Amino acid sequence: QVQLVESGGGLVQAGGSLRLSCAASEHTFSAYTMGWFRQAPGKEREFVARIAWSGGSTKYTDSVKGRFTISRDNAKDTVYLQMNSLKPEDTAVYYCAATSRYRALAQRAADFDSWGQGTQVTVFS
């Protein structure tokens, strides 16, 4: 498993932006498909976005399409989630996750093997 550390969460007004980062402990970062999930109070953890090992393929849940962008820098062992036009319903703890690069279509939480500790995002209106 790879160690993951998220950063970049915070408090933002609706319509604002935040950029989350997730740094991996291994320099074999390109061996992993990376994902972002979120969990709001009283709700199950839900898929937000996924990016393949090369960065050439991405997937988003419908509610964030056009507002969020997932990207990665394999040279820095880091994956990012740029969040624009934030809404109060985006409020949650955001987690990054890693799985084998061969699970290029992974989307369920159960498909991911390594998780960060989470970072809180709070959007107020």
Side-chain angles (χ1 to χ4, degrees):
Q1 294 186 345
V2 59
Q3 301 296 317
L4 303 171
V5 179
E6 302 100 334
S7 61
L11 184 66
V12 63
Q13 192 170 16
S17 299
L18 282 174
R19 187 196 196 201
L20 305 183
S21 299
C22 172
S25 62
E26 294 187 8
H27 294 303
T28 55
F29 184 65
S30 61
Y32 298 97
T33 294
M34 299 299 297
W36 284 97
F37 289 76
R38 65 187 179 186
Q39 188 166 18
K43 295 187 177 181
E44 292 187 355
R45 191 168 298 189
E46 68 168 344
F47 170 80
V48 176
R50 177 200 69 226
I51 187 165
W53 69 274
S54 66
S57 173
T58 58
K59 174 75 173 178
Y60 299 90
T61 192
D62 287 345
S63 63
V64 308
K65 283 180 181 177
R67 299 188 298 123
F68 290 12
T69 302
I70 188 170
S71 62
R72 66 190 295 161
D73 185 339
N74 288 344
K76 296 182 178 179
D77 303 327
T78 302
V79 63
Y80 305 97
L81 186 68
Q82 178 67 44
M83 305 186 294
N84 298 329
S85 302
L86 282 161
K87 304 175 181 180
E89 50 263 45
D90 294 318
T91 295
V93 177
Y94 283 71
Y95 299 89
C96 72
T99 189
S100 167
R101 63 189 282 181
Y102 299 109
R103 290 181 172 175
L105 302 180
Q107 200 166 315
R108 301 177 304 160
D111 292 333
F112 287 80
D113 309 303
S114 301
W115 293 84
Q117 82 288 352
T119 186
Q120 176 71 47
V121 171
T122 303
V123 185
F124 64 93
S125 57

